[in-house]
Amino acid sequence: MAEFTMDLNDEQKEVRAWLHGFAADVIRPAAAEWDEREETPWPVIQEAAKLGIYSLDFYAQQFFDPSGLGIPMAMEELFWGDAGIALSIVGTGLAAVGVLANGTEEQIGTWIPQMYGDVNDVKVAAFCSSEPDAGSDVAAMRTRAVYDEAKDEWVLNGTKTWATNGGIANVHVVVASVDPALGSKGHASFIVPPNTPGLSQGQKFKKHGIRASHTAEVVLENVRIPGSCLLGGKDKLDERLARSREKARKGGERVKNAAMATFEASRPAVGAMAVGTARAAYEEALEYAKTREQFGRPIIDNQGVAFQLADMRTSIDAARLLVWRASWMATTGKKFENAEGSMSKLFASETAKKVTAQAVQILGGNGFTREYPVERMHRDAAIYTIFEGTSEIQRLVIARTLSGMPIR
């Protein structure tokens, strides 16, 4: 088992420098344009694919880094470049995690490569869990999956919302209820293959931030998929449902559901994204404070500015520590006994929101204009306290874990 360390090895340092170079040379120069266009930056994704950054192999290498630091290190550097473009590059990863967390080896080998496509024809994937009336309250999910035994097919009906890459994805991973009486324990995940009839894009959202990332509703109308597209297989699902029904009959022992399995695996990575955005805003504010003069001296000479920068840097480093600890624990198989994954996501998200606001304040009027990137970073940072579990939900998870109460 790898010991926890903050010291990156030579290979990790090389990867970090490589990603930082891509973020600085390719992502940042394109950030303002794609933020204004509010469109998926396909040319940037293709450039990432050419370099091997947007690929199954790259993410697999980082995911299986024995130290656990590969994914958070990569997320921080890419999101340091720009959150909207970076999310367009890594958004497919959430769907891939959904398959890795719940699928068989055959399903993993079949579907994850199709999520990325190839250098000449890049594709994206979407993970569809949230619904108009079921965000944090996953038990309220209304999308249904009904098994047609005669045809060995599943029939999906419902509407998903807030889906990154929803409707434009080559492969959609959809969480649906197969037994509504069991609430969240009656959920399962399904692969919807490319060009499946009945799946369509609903409303595309015009967002406050991360505008280069496509977010939309996904409408499922009598979508028929082969039985083999149930992640994990029907035998495993039937066994799990039987256990859940028995436990519910005896008084209810909690069981991890398909959506929660995905979110638990991805929360430290979201924390790393937030660290990247916070660090970018801090660096912009620091450089500005060192060069901007008022009353005959750089504004960093004023304690009101200097102390803000000190707090910003301290919070960023603390957030990174929590993210790296959670990532290391997840990789080495250590149980999140105190909800360390949620802690990392909560603190890093709140840090990004606060630090980017402080950066705008330090730049003053300039920080409020689109001529300076901190304005965009501040808009982007707002999403971290919302998606993949709001800050309020993270606090609830942490509190219930500490108290021993069940997490529903």
Side-chain angles (χ1 to χ4, degrees):
M1 180 182 294
E3 295 295 326
F4 180 69
T5 177
M6 293 294 290
D7 292 327
L8 301 178
N9 60 39
D10 290 342
E11 182 178 351
Q12 290 170 324
K13 289 177 181 177
E14 288 179 7
V15 172
R16 183 176 64 179
W18 173 49
L19 291 172
H20 187 80
F22 178 79
D25 298 338
V26 180
I27 293 179
R28 281 207 166 178
E33 175 189 351
W34 291 99
D35 177 72
E36 291 287 346
R37 291 176 62 168
E38 299 190 52
E39 296 174 358
T40 300
W42 291 107
V44 182
I45 299 174
Q46 185 160 29
E47 188 65 24
K50 289 178 180 177
L51 295 175
I53 295 172
Y54 185 75
S55 70
L56 172 61
D57 288 345
F58 172 73
Y59 287 107
Q61 289 173 12
Q62 304 315 308
F63 186 82
F64 292 110
D65 182 335
S67 72
L69 303 185
I71 289 294
M73 179 186 65
M75 295 301 103
E76 180 177 338
E77 294 305 326
L78 292 173
F79 280 74
W80 172 89
D82 175 69
I85 291 178
L87 190 57
S88 290
I89 294 173
V90 308
T92 294
L94 185 58
V97 168
V99 176
L100 286 169
N102 301 294
T104 64
E105 289 188 9
E106 182 179 357
Q107 289 170 331
I108 292 169
T110 298
W111 295 111
I112 293 184
Q114 294 187 50
M115 293 179 174
Y116 289 94
D118 57 47
V119 174
N120 297 316
D121 186 20
V122 293
K123 304 291 185 183
V124 294
F127 182 76
C128 308
S129 176
S130 294
E131 298 183 1
D133 296 317
S136 298
D137 182 11
V138 294
M141 188 175 294
R142 295 181 180 178
T143 298
R144 291 293 309 277
V146 178
Y147 185 57
D148 183 341
E149 189 171 0
K151 295 183 178 180
D152 185 26
E153 292 179 341
W154 287 91
V155 185
L156 276 59
N157 282 282
T159 299
K160 294 297 182 178
T161 194
W162 309 122
T164 298
N165 298 328
I168 66 170
N170 194 46
V171 175
H172 290 76
V173 178
V174 176
V175 182
S177 175
V178 296
D179 189 340
L182 291 175
S184 63
K185 301 181 184 70
H187 294 174
S189 292
F190 300 85
I191 292 286
V192 180
N195 303 314
T196 298
L199 184 147
S200 63
Q201 179 183 308
Q203 175 187 5
K204 178 185 176 182
F205 296 102
K206 296 181 73 67
K207 304 188 299 294
H208 175 65
I210 55 167
R211 294 177 178 176
S213 174
H214 176 96
T215 310
E217 290 181 332
V218 174
V219 180
L220 304 143
E221 297 179 303
N222 293 320
V223 172
R224 285 186 167 270
I225 56 174
S228 59
C229 288
L230 165 64
L231 290 179
K234 194 166 187 304
D235 289 344
K236 184 177 179 181
L237 173 64
D238 289 342
E239 291 174 6
R240 178 167 63 80
L241 293 176
R243 289 196 305 269
S244 297
R245 292 179 187 119
E246 180 64 18
K247 288 170 183 175
R249 186 181 66 80
K250 291 181 177 179
E253 183 177 336
R254 59 194 169 116
V255 178
K256 184 184 296 183
N257 65 69
M260 286 301 178
T262 299
F263 290 141
E264 284 181 11
S266 63
R267 276 173 179 160
V270 175
M273 298 173 189
V275 170
T277 299
R279 190 183 111 211
Y282 159 76
E283 290 175 0
E284 291 287 338
L286 176 63
E287 185 61 28
Y288 186 88
K290 288 160 62 176
T291 56
R292 170 69 168 172
E293 291 191 1
Q294 288 289 280
F295 305 105
R297 60 179 181 175
I299 63 173
I300 198 171
D301 286 351
N302 298 311
Q303 283 188 351
V305 173
F307 284 9
Q308 282 195 78
L309 289 162
D311 287 344
M312 292 159 75
R313 177 58 186 268
T314 300
S315 296
I316 291 167
D317 281 12
R320 185 183 296 109
L321 275 167
L322 286 171
V323 167
W324 283 23
R325 179 185 70 168
S327 300
W328 170 76
M329 290 177 68
T331 297
T332 56
K334 291 188 177 294
K335 187 178 179 182
F336 287 166
E337 294 183 352
N338 297 301
E340 287 86 352
S342 289
M343 284 184 184
S344 70
K345 199 267 185 185
L346 170 65
F347 191 80
S349 298
E350 295 290 342
T351 293
K353 199 169 181 179
K354 183 177 180 180
V355 165
T356 54
Q358 288 174 304
V360 170
Q361 188 69 23
I362 289 171
L363 269 67
N366 286 327
F368 199 65
T369 72
R370 295 189 185 182
E371 296 300 314
Y372 288 79
V374 294
E375 179 271 341
R376 184 180 68 252
M377 294 169 185
H378 182 43
R379 286 189 285 106
D380 291 341
I383 193 60
Y384 298 127
T385 63
I386 298 173
F387 73 175
E388 294 201 49
T390 64
S391 287
E392 291 75 22
I393 288 295
Q394 306 308 321
R395 291 185 175 98
L396 182 64
V397 170
I398 295 166
R400 287 189 171 175
T401 301
L402 297 177
S403 69
M405 294 175 63
I407 301 171
R408 294 184 290 273

